[in-house]
């Protein structure tokens, strides 16, 4: 008689912003022990497949068995849903076979992580999940620039890429330090704000934690910059 399979919770593992050395010790152990690591990839208009998550893992853990899933254009929500449905089914089957499955997330799983759709679906199927923390990109960005992100009575607000000028003005005139993530989605708003309020200190970052990392506070450079997906800024009150 064969022993009963032991089902392991599905681990949603934060990889940090891009530098493999910023993985936690727990993340390293979980990657080594995993039977399969679920990794998101994207395909651009020229058919080039990219994955920052895969790059982080491959640099140190080339033997990890990666189960890649490709996300279509983000605005096509129905197509994205079908991809998530497929990967949920794959994870569920592997879970019931007793495999250790790790779903990796760039940055931190609790901050604007789209894989929460997978996590929620698995929970609806009564499949246990865990969330393992990592270093968010804006924390790594502040450290790389030697910034004191907030101090004394300041407050920190993190906004997605739907920020508007009035919201930025209101926050920055009321003791808030503002982080804007997904900056490529609202880059013109940021540029317009910096023109209207030139005394604002803006730290602009791209590709934090990677060899392509870029940081500047020069407004002329920021205003001319075409901001990629992996960009963010930290705005300090004047």
């Amino acid at each position: 008689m064969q022993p009963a399979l032991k089902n392991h919770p599905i681990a949603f593992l934060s990889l940090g912003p891009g530098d493999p050395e910023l993985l936690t010790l727990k993340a390293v152990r979980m990657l080594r022990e995993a039977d399969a690591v679920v990794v998101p990839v994207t395909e651009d208009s020229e058919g080039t497949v990219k994955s920052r998550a895969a790059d982080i893992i491959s640099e140190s853990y080339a033997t990890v068995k990666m189960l890649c899933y490709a996300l279509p254009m983000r605005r096509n929500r129905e197509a994205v849903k079908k991809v998530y449905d497929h990967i949920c089914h794959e994870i569920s089957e592997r879970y019931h076979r007793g495999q250790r499955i790790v779903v990796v997330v760039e940055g931190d799983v609790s901050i604007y992580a789209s894989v929460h759709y997978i996590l929620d679906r698995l929970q609806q199927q009564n499949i246990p999940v865990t969330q393992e923390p990592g270093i968010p990109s804006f924390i790594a960005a502040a450290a790389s620039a030697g910034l004191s992100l907030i101090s004394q009575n300041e407050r920190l607000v993190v906004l997605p890429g739907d920020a508007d000028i009035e919201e930025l003005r209101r926050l920055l005139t009321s003791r808030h330090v503002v982080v804007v993530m997904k900056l490529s989605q609202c880059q013109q708003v940021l540029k317009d704000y910096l023109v209207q309020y030139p005394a604002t200190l803006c730290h602009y970052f791209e590709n934090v934690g990677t060899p392509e990392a870029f940081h500047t506070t020069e407004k002329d450079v920021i205003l001319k910059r075409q901001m990629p997906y992996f960009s963010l800024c930290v705005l300090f009150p004047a």
Side-chain angles (χ1 to χ4, degrees):
M1 182 176 179
Q2 292 183 343
L5 291 174
K6 180 180 179 181
N7 298 125
H8 304 279
I10 308 302
F12 285 75
L13 179 63
S14 306
L15 296 178
D19 183 350
E21 292 188 344
L22 293 181
L23 288 169
T24 66
L25 292 175
K26 188 172 187 180
V28 171
R29 175 180 60 78
M30 293 179 72
L31 288 171
R32 287 173 175 166
E33 294 176 351
D35 293 303
V37 178
V38 180
V39 180
V41 302
T42 57
E43 185 175 339
D44 63 22
S45 58
E46 298 177 353
T48 303
V49 175
K50 298 179 180 180
S51 173
R52 177 169 291 187
D55 291 343
I56 296 170
I57 296 169
S58 297
E59 185 163 328
S60 301
Y61 306 98
T63 60
V64 167
K65 298 176 182 178
M66 287 190 278
L67 179 63
C68 297
Y69 64 97
L71 290 175
M73 295 299 292
R74 291 177 176 271
R75 291 184 180 181
N76 188 345
R77 299 310 303 168
E78 189 60 32
V80 171
K81 181 178 179 297
K82 288 181 180 179
V83 172
Y84 283 146
D85 286 344
H86 173 75
I87 201 65
C88 283
H89 178 73
E90 179 75 20
I91 292 171
S92 176
E93 285 197 337
R94 289 172 178 265
Y95 165 78
H96 289 294
R97 296 204 302 267
Q99 291 191 6
R100 293 181 183 269
I101 306 299
V102 171
V103 183
V104 295
V105 181
E106 297 149 12
D108 185 273
V109 69
S110 66
I111 300 175
Y112 298 129
S114 59
V115 292
H116 262 273
Y117 177 84
I118 299 175
L119 187 152
D120 294 341
R121 283 291 300 275
L122 293 175
Q123 288 183 316
Q124 290 170 11
Q125 298 175 37
N126 295 317
I127 295 177
V129 301
T130 63
Q131 294 189 76
E132 307 301 337
I135 299 174
S137 57
F138 65 89
I139 297 296
S144 70
L147 299 179
S148 173
L149 198 56
I150 48 175
S151 60
Q152 298 180 350
N153 295 324
E154 292 176 334
R155 302 174 183 181
L156 180 68
V157 174
V158 181
L159 301 177
D162 61 356
D164 59 61
I165 288 179
E166 178 53 32
E167 183 176 26
L168 294 177
R169 187 202 64 77
R170 176 177 57 81
L171 291 169
L172 288 165
T173 54
S174 58
R175 297 182 306 166
H176 288 78
V177 173
V178 178
V179 172
V180 184
M181 302 181 67
K182 303 183 180 182
L183 194 53
S184 60
Q185 299 176 19
C186 66
Q187 58 182 297
Q188 194 57 51
V189 170
L190 173 65
K191 293 174 181 178
D192 291 345
Y193 187 88
L194 294 178
V195 170
Q196 291 186 35
Y197 301 95
T200 304
L201 173 58
C202 175
H203 282 264
Y204 171 78
F205 299 89
E206 293 177 6
N207 298 306
V208 176
T210 74
E212 295 77 35
F214 175 79
H215 165 237
T216 186
T217 58
E218 296 183 23
K219 289 187 174 59
D220 288 345
V221 174
I222 297 171
L223 294 176
K224 296 176 182 177
R225 197 83 176 176
Q226 181 61 35
M227 300 177 181
Y229 179 77
F230 290 108
S231 61
L232 63 90
C233 70
V234 183
L235 300 169
F236 290 91

